[in-house]
PDB file of all heavy atoms in Angstrom:
ATOM      1  N   THR A   1     127.730  12.041 113.808  1.00  0.00           N
ATOM      2  CA  THR A   1     126.768  12.910 113.503  1.00  0.00           C
ATOM      3  C   THR A   1     126.303  13.631 114.819  1.00  0.00           C
ATOM      4  O   THR A   1     126.078  14.909 114.808  1.00  0.00           O
ATOM      5  CB  THR A   1     125.575  12.355 112.769  1.00  0.00           C
ATOM      6  OG1 THR A   1     126.084  11.737 111.711  1.00  0.00           O
ATOM      7  CG2 THR A   1     124.474  13.499 112.359  1.00  0.00           C
ATOM      8  N   TYR A   2     126.094  12.977 115.927  1.00  0.00           N
ATOM      9  CA  TYR A   2     125.574  13.516 117.094  1.00  0.00           C
ATOM     10  C   TYR A   2     126.690  14.507 117.705  1.00  0.00           C
ATOM     11  O   TYR A   2     126.369  15.606 118.075  1.00  0.00           O
ATOM     12  CB  TYR A   2     125.288  12.324 118.109  1.00  0.00           C
ATOM     13  CG  TYR A   2     124.860  12.928 119.543  1.00  0.00           C
ATOM     14  CD1 TYR A   2     123.678  13.545 119.814  1.00  0.00           C
ATOM     15  CD2 TYR A   2     125.910  12.925 120.598  1.00  0.00           C
ATOM     16  CE1 TYR A   2     123.338  13.969 120.987  1.00  0.00           C
ATOM     17  CE2 TYR A   2     125.572  13.466 121.883  1.00  0.00           C
ATOM     18  CZ  TYR A   2     124.278  13.927 121.963  1.00  0.00           C
ATOM     19  OH  TYR A   2     123.957  14.345 123.208  1.00  0.00           O
ATOM     20  N   HIS A   3     127.784  14.013 117.763  1.00  0.00           N
ATOM     21  CA  HIS A   3     128.884  14.855 118.264  1.00  0.00           C
ATOM     22  C   HIS A   3     129.104  16.122 117.317  1.00  0.00           C
ATOM     23  O   HIS A   3     129.279  17.180 117.916  1.00  0.00           O
ATOM     24  CB  HIS A   3     130.294  14.175 118.234  1.00  0.00           C
ATOM     25  CG  HIS A   3     130.376  13.148 119.303  1.00  0.00           C
ATOM     26  ND1 HIS A   3     130.151  13.454 120.653  1.00  0.00           N
ATOM     27  CD2 HIS A   3     130.707  11.848 119.381  1.00  0.00           C
ATOM     28  CE1 HIS A   3     130.319  12.503 121.514  1.00  0.00           C
ATOM     29  NE2 HIS A   3     130.696  11.438 120.668  1.00  0.00           N
ATOM     30  N   THR A   4     128.942  16.039 115.944  1.00  0.00           N
ATOM     31  CA  THR A   4     129.079  17.166 115.135  1.00  0.00           C
ATOM     32  C   THR A   4     127.856  18.107 115.420  1.00  0.00           C
ATOM     33  O   THR A   4     127.993  19.384 115.450  1.00  0.00           O
ATOM     34  CB  THR A   4     129.001  16.721 113.621  1.00  0.00           C
ATOM     35  OG1 THR A   4     130.059  15.855 113.426  1.00  0.00           O
ATOM     36  CG2 THR A   4     128.961  17.953 112.653  1.00  0.00           C
ATOM     37  N   ALA A   5     126.636  17.590 115.510  1.00  0.00           N
ATOM     38  CA  ALA A   5     125.548  18.361 115.818  1.00  0.00           C
ATOM     39  C   ALA A   5     125.671  19.047 117.270  1.00  0.00           C
ATOM     40  O   ALA A   5     125.291  20.263 117.352  1.00  0.00           O
ATOM     41  CB  ALA A   5     124.128  17.576 115.986  1.00  0.00           C
ATOM     42  N   MET A   6     126.261  18.424 118.175  1.00  0.00           N
ATOM     43  CA  MET A   6     126.429  18.944 119.415  1.00  0.00           C
ATOM     44  C   MET A   6     127.457  20.126 119.410  1.00  0.00           C
ATOM     45  O   MET A   6     127.242  21.177 120.036  1.00  0.00           O
ATOM     46  CB  MET A   6     126.865  17.907 120.473  1.00  0.00           C
ATOM     47  CG  MET A   6     125.768  17.033 121.038  1.00  0.00           C
ATOM     48  SD  MET A   6     124.454  17.984 121.890  1.00  0.00           S
ATOM     49  CE  MET A   6     125.293  18.451 123.356  1.00  0.00           C
ATOM     50  N   LEU A   7     128.550  19.891 118.573  1.00  0.00           N
ATOM     51  CA  LEU A   7     129.482  20.894 118.506  1.00  0.00           C
ATOM     52  C   LEU A   7     128.857  22.128 117.790  1.00  0.00           C
ATOM     53  O   LEU A   7     129.193  23.365 118.241  1.00  0.00           O
ATOM     54  CB  LEU A   7     130.579  20.401 117.561  1.00  0.00           C
ATOM     55  CG  LEU A   7     131.621  19.488 118.333  1.00  0.00           C
ATOM     56  CD1 LEU A   7     132.616  18.956 117.359  1.00  0.00           C
ATOM     57  CD2 LEU A   7     132.352  20.147 119.471  1.00  0.00           C
ATOM     58  N   GLU A   8     128.088  21.877 116.669  1.00  0.00           N
ATOM     59  CA  GLU A   8     127.397  23.094 116.082  1.00  0.00           C
ATOM     60  C   GLU A   8     126.491  23.761 117.096  1.00  0.00           C
ATOM     61  O   GLU A   8     126.339  25.032 117.030  1.00  0.00           O
ATOM     62  CB  GLU A   8     126.667  22.606 114.799  1.00  0.00           C
ATOM     63  CG  GLU A   8     127.541  22.077 113.761  1.00  0.00           C
ATOM     64  CD  GLU A   8     126.746  21.453 112.646  1.00  0.00           C
ATOM     65  OE1 GLU A   8     125.550  21.323 112.727  1.00  0.00           O
ATOM     66  OE2 GLU A   8     127.298  21.140 111.623  1.00  0.00           O
ATOM     67  N   ALA A   9     125.694  22.967 117.918  1.00  0.00           N
ATOM     68  CA  ALA A   9     124.793  23.633 118.868  1.00  0.00           C
ATOM     69  C   ALA A   9     125.588  24.526 119.869  1.00  0.00           C
ATOM     70  O   ALA A   9     125.257  25.520 120.264  1.00  0.00           O
ATOM     71  CB  ALA A   9     123.994  22.461 119.622  1.00  0.00           C
ATOM     72  N   ARG A  10     126.696  23.911 120.295  1.00  0.00           N
ATOM     73  CA  ARG A  10     127.605  24.655 121.254  1.00  0.00           C
ATOM     74  C   ARG A  10     128.141  25.917 120.568  1.00  0.00           C
ATOM     75  O   ARG A  10     128.191  26.962 121.216  1.00  0.00           O
ATOM     76  CB  ARG A  10     128.622  23.804 121.791  1.00  0.00           C
ATOM     77  CG  ARG A  10     128.326  22.692 122.622  1.00  0.00           C
ATOM     78  CD  ARG A  10     127.529  23.065 123.816  1.00  0.00           C
ATOM     79  NE  ARG A  10     127.212  21.932 124.693  1.00  0.00           N
ATOM     80  CZ  ARG A  10     126.546  21.924 125.760  1.00  0.00           C
ATOM     81  NH1 ARG A  10     125.991  23.124 126.203  1.00  0.00           N
ATOM     82  NH2 ARG A  10     126.277  20.839 126.586  1.00  0.00           N
ATOM     83  N   GLU A  11     128.575  25.757 119.385  1.00  0.00           N
ATOM     84  CA  GLU A  11     129.103  26.949 118.675  1.00  0.00           C
ATOM     85  C   GLU A  11     127.959  28.030 118.564  1.00  0.00           C
ATOM     86  O   GLU A  11     128.258  29.334 118.569  1.00  0.00           O
ATOM     87  CB  GLU A  11     129.715  26.556 117.266  1.00  0.00           C
ATOM     88  CG  GLU A  11     130.921  25.875 117.311  1.00  0.00           C
ATOM     89  CD  GLU A  11     132.016  26.744 117.927  1.00  0.00           C
ATOM     90  OE1 GLU A  11     132.111  28.034 117.555  1.00  0.00           O
ATOM     91  OE2 GLU A  11     132.901  26.347 118.723  1.00  0.00           O
ATOM     92  N   TYR A  12     126.821  27.585 118.299  1.00  0.00           N
ATOM     93  CA  TYR A  12     125.589  28.564 118.131  1.00  0.00           C
ATOM     94  C   TYR A  12     125.410  29.295 119.366  1.00  0.00           C
ATOM     95  O   TYR A  12     125.394  30.453 119.443  1.00  0.00           O
ATOM     96  CB  TYR A  12     124.245  27.722 117.680  1.00  0.00           C
ATOM     97  CG  TYR A  12     123.146  28.536 117.885  1.00  0.00           C
ATOM     98  CD1 TYR A  12     122.586  29.341 116.952  1.00  0.00           C
ATOM     99  CD2 TYR A  12     122.302  28.211 119.026  1.00  0.00           C
ATOM    100  CE1 TYR A  12     121.535  30.151 117.098  1.00  0.00           C
ATOM    101  CE2 TYR A  12     121.104  28.963 119.263  1.00  0.00           C
ATOM    102  CZ  TYR A  12     120.737  29.951 118.258  1.00  0.00           C
ATOM    103  OH  TYR A  12     119.482  30.660 118.502  1.00  0.00           O
ATOM    104  N   GLN A  13     125.329  28.491 120.543  1.00  0.00           N
ATOM    105  CA  GLN A  13     125.242  29.182 121.860  1.00  0.00           C
ATOM    106  C   GLN A  13     126.321  30.054 122.143  1.00  0.00           C
ATOM    107  O   GLN A  13     126.025  31.135 122.657  1.00  0.00           O
ATOM    108  CB  GLN A  13     125.005  28.127 122.858  1.00  0.00           C
ATOM    109  CG  GLN A  13     123.703  27.350 122.766  1.00  0.00           C
ATOM    110  CD  GLN A  13     123.512  26.553 123.987  1.00  0.00           C
ATOM    111  OE1 GLN A  13     124.368  25.794 124.469  1.00  0.00           O
ATOM    112  NE2 GLN A  13     122.213  26.619 124.690  1.00  0.00           N
ATOM    113  N   LYS A  14     127.493  29.630 121.774  1.00  0.00           N
ATOM    114  CA  LYS A  14     128.628  30.553 122.026  1.00  0.00           C
ATOM    115  C   LYS A  14     128.656  31.743 121.302  1.00  0.00           C
ATOM    116  O   LYS A  14     128.943  32.820 121.855  1.00  0.00           O
ATOM    117  CB  LYS A  14     129.986  29.628 121.780  1.00  0.00           C
ATOM    118  CG  LYS A  14     131.338  30.376 122.120  1.00  0.00           C
ATOM    119  CD  LYS A  14     132.393  29.545 121.733  1.00  0.00           C
ATOM    120  CE  LYS A  14     133.707  30.236 121.926  1.00  0.00           C
ATOM    121  NZ  LYS A  14     134.863  29.392 121.580  1.00  0.00           N
ATOM    122  N   ASP A  15     128.235  31.673 120.025  1.00  0.00           N
ATOM    123  CA  ASP A  15     128.108  32.945 119.238  1.00  0.00           C
ATOM    124  C   ASP A  15     127.115  33.835 119.679  1.00  0.00           C
ATOM    125  O   ASP A  15     127.275  35.038 119.731  1.00  0.00           O
ATOM    126  CB  ASP A  15     127.769  32.515 117.648  1.00  0.00           C
ATOM    127  CG  ASP A  15     128.915  31.868 117.074  1.00  0.00           C
ATOM    128  OD1 ASP A  15     130.089  31.901 117.490  1.00  0.00           O
ATOM    129  OD2 ASP A  15     128.602  31.047 116.039  1.00  0.00           O
ATOM    130  N   LYS A  16     125.901  33.285 120.145  1.00  0.00           N
ATOM    131  CA  LYS A  16     124.862  34.232 120.623  1.00  0.00           C
ATOM    132  C   LYS A  16     125.243  34.807 121.963  1.00  0.00           C
ATOM    133  O   LYS A  16     125.068  35.985 122.169  1.00  0.00           O
ATOM    134  CB  LYS A  16     123.644  33.407 120.853  1.00  0.00           C
ATOM    135  CG  LYS A  16     123.027  32.978 119.527  1.00  0.00           C
ATOM    136  CD  LYS A  16     122.843  34.087 118.500  1.00  0.00           C
ATOM    137  CE  LYS A  16     122.242  33.651 117.272  1.00  0.00           C
ATOM    138  NZ  LYS A  16     122.074  34.761 116.194  1.00  0.00           N
ATOM    139  N   ALA A  17     125.967  34.107 122.849  1.00  0.00           N
ATOM    140  CA  ALA A  17     126.449  34.654 124.067  1.00  0.00           C
ATOM    141  C   ALA A  17     127.374  35.719 123.798  1.00  0.00           C
ATOM    142  O   ALA A  17     127.447  36.674 124.540  1.00  0.00           O
ATOM    143  CB  ALA A  17     126.947  33.512 124.984  1.00  0.00           C
ATOM    144  N   GLN A  18     128.200  35.397 122.844  1.00  0.00           N
ATOM    145  CA  GLN A  18     129.338  36.346 122.502  1.00  0.00           C
ATOM    146  C   GLN A  18     128.749  37.684 121.950  1.00  0.00           C
ATOM    147  O   GLN A  18     129.134  38.803 122.131  1.00  0.00           O
ATOM    148  CB  GLN A  18     130.404  35.799 121.546  1.00  0.00           C
ATOM    149  CG  GLN A  18     131.493  36.759 121.222  1.00  0.00           C
ATOM    150  CD  GLN A  18     132.310  36.971 122.427  1.00  0.00           C
ATOM    151  OE1 GLN A  18     132.514  36.073 123.206  1.00  0.00           O
ATOM    152  NE2 GLN A  18     132.948  38.181 122.639  1.00  0.00           N
ATOM    153  N   GLU A  19     127.553  37.486 121.159  1.00  0.00           N
ATOM    154  CA  GLU A  19     126.928  38.687 120.641  1.00  0.00           C
ATOM    155  C   GLU A  19     126.315  39.478 121.706  1.00  0.00           C
ATOM    156  O   GLU A  19     126.409  40.757 121.694  1.00  0.00           O
ATOM    157  CB  GLU A  19     125.852  38.171 119.690  1.00  0.00           C
ATOM    158  CG  GLU A  19     125.119  39.291 118.872  1.00  0.00           C
ATOM    159  CD  GLU A  19     124.129  38.784 117.894  1.00  0.00           C
ATOM    160  OE1 GLU A  19     124.086  37.597 117.656  1.00  0.00           O
ATOM    161  OE2 GLU A  19     123.346  39.661 117.380  1.00  0.00           O
ATOM    162  N   MET A  20     125.681  38.865 122.709  1.00  0.00           N
ATOM    163  CA  MET A  20     125.189  39.577 123.874  1.00  0.00           C
ATOM    164  C   MET A  20     126.185  40.361 124.639  1.00  0.00           C
ATOM    165  O   MET A  20     126.089  41.511 124.994  1.00  0.00           O
ATOM    166  CB  MET A  20     124.461  38.596 124.886  1.00  0.00           C
ATOM    167  CG  MET A  20     123.095  38.156 124.381  1.00  0.00           C
ATOM    168  SD  MET A  20     122.221  37.327 125.666  1.00  0.00           S
ATOM    169  CE  MET A  20     123.041  35.823 125.845  1.00  0.00           C
ATOM    170  N   ALA A  21     127.353  39.641 124.885  1.00  0.00           N
ATOM    171  CA  ALA A  21     128.534  40.258 125.604  1.00  0.00           C
ATOM    172  C   ALA A  21     129.019  41.422 124.794  1.00  0.00           C
ATOM    173  O   ALA A  21     129.306  42.478 125.354  1.00  0.00           O
ATOM    174  CB  ALA A  21     129.614  39.177 125.798  1.00  0.00           C
ATOM    175  N   THR A  22     129.032  41.419 123.395  1.00  0.00           N
ATOM    176  CA  THR A  22     129.589  42.479 122.691  1.00  0.00           C
ATOM    177  C   THR A  22     128.700  43.687 122.781  1.00  0.00           C
ATOM    178  O   THR A  22     129.123  44.788 122.868  1.00  0.00           O
ATOM    179  CB  THR A  22     129.739  41.925 121.248  1.00  0.00           C
ATOM    180  OG1 THR A  22     130.718  40.890 121.124  1.00  0.00           O
ATOM    181  CG2 THR A  22     130.287  43.176 120.336  1.00  0.00           C
ATOM    182  N   GLN A  23     127.424  43.316 122.664  1.00  0.00           N
ATOM    183  CA  GLN A  23     126.435  44.483 122.791  1.00  0.00           C
ATOM    184  C   GLN A  23     126.509  45.141 124.154  1.00  0.00           C
ATOM    185  O   GLN A  23     126.494  46.405 124.143  1.00  0.00           O
ATOM    186  CB  GLN A  23     125.042  43.899 122.685  1.00  0.00           C
ATOM    187  CG  GLN A  23     124.674  43.441 121.199  1.00  0.00           C
ATOM    188  CD  GLN A  23     124.370  44.536 120.338  1.00  0.00           C
ATOM    189  OE1 GLN A  23     124.245  45.808 120.650  1.00  0.00           O
ATOM    190  NE2 GLN A  23     124.105  44.270 119.067  1.00  0.00           N
ATOM    191  N   LEU A  24     126.642  44.448 125.285  1.00  0.00           N
ATOM    192  CA  LEU A  24     126.765  44.971 126.563  1.00  0.00           C
ATOM    193  C   LEU A  24     128.087  45.870 126.735  1.00  0.00           C
ATOM    194  O   LEU A  24     128.087  46.898 127.328  1.00  0.00           O
ATOM    195  CB  LEU A  24     126.753  43.924 127.578  1.00  0.00           C
ATOM    196  CG  LEU A  24     125.383  43.315 127.885  1.00  0.00           C
ATOM    197  CD1 LEU A  24     125.508  42.124 128.873  1.00  0.00           C
ATOM    198  CD2 LEU A  24     124.418  44.288 128.411  1.00  0.00           C
ATOM    199  N   ARG A  25     129.119  45.251 126.127  1.00  0.00           N
ATOM    200  CA  ARG A  25     130.509  45.894 126.169  1.00  0.00           C
ATOM    201  C   ARG A  25     130.282  47.302 125.414  1.00  0.00           C
ATOM    202  O   ARG A  25     130.871  48.384 125.846  1.00  0.00           O
ATOM    203  CB  ARG A  25     131.584  45.116 125.771  1.00  0.00           C
ATOM    204  CG  ARG A  25     131.911  43.951 126.469  1.00  0.00           C
ATOM    205  CD  ARG A  25     133.187  43.283 126.043  1.00  0.00           C
ATOM    206  NE  ARG A  25     133.503  42.036 126.936  1.00  0.00           N
ATOM    207  CZ  ARG A  25     133.284  40.786 126.636  1.00  0.00           C
ATOM    208  NH1 ARG A  25     132.716  40.583 125.368  1.00  0.00           N
ATOM    209  NH2 ARG A  25     133.616  39.759 127.374  1.00  0.00           N
ATOM    210  N   SER A  26     129.727  47.173 124.387  1.00  0.00           N
ATOM    211  CA  SER A  26     129.500  48.469 123.473  1.00  0.00           C
ATOM    212  C   SER A  26     128.681  49.396 124.340  1.00  0.00           C
ATOM    213  O   SER A  26     128.979  50.657 124.376  1.00  0.00           O
ATOM    214  CB  SER A  26     128.770  48.146 122.157  1.00  0.00           C
ATOM    215  OG  SER A  26     129.588  47.203 121.442  1.00  0.00           O
TER     216      SER A  26
END
């Protein structure tokens, strides 16, 4: 459960960082 939660947390951060990057690229 901990590893799953950590993966989800990392995916969340990755998505938000990607969203910022996409906004800047636009």
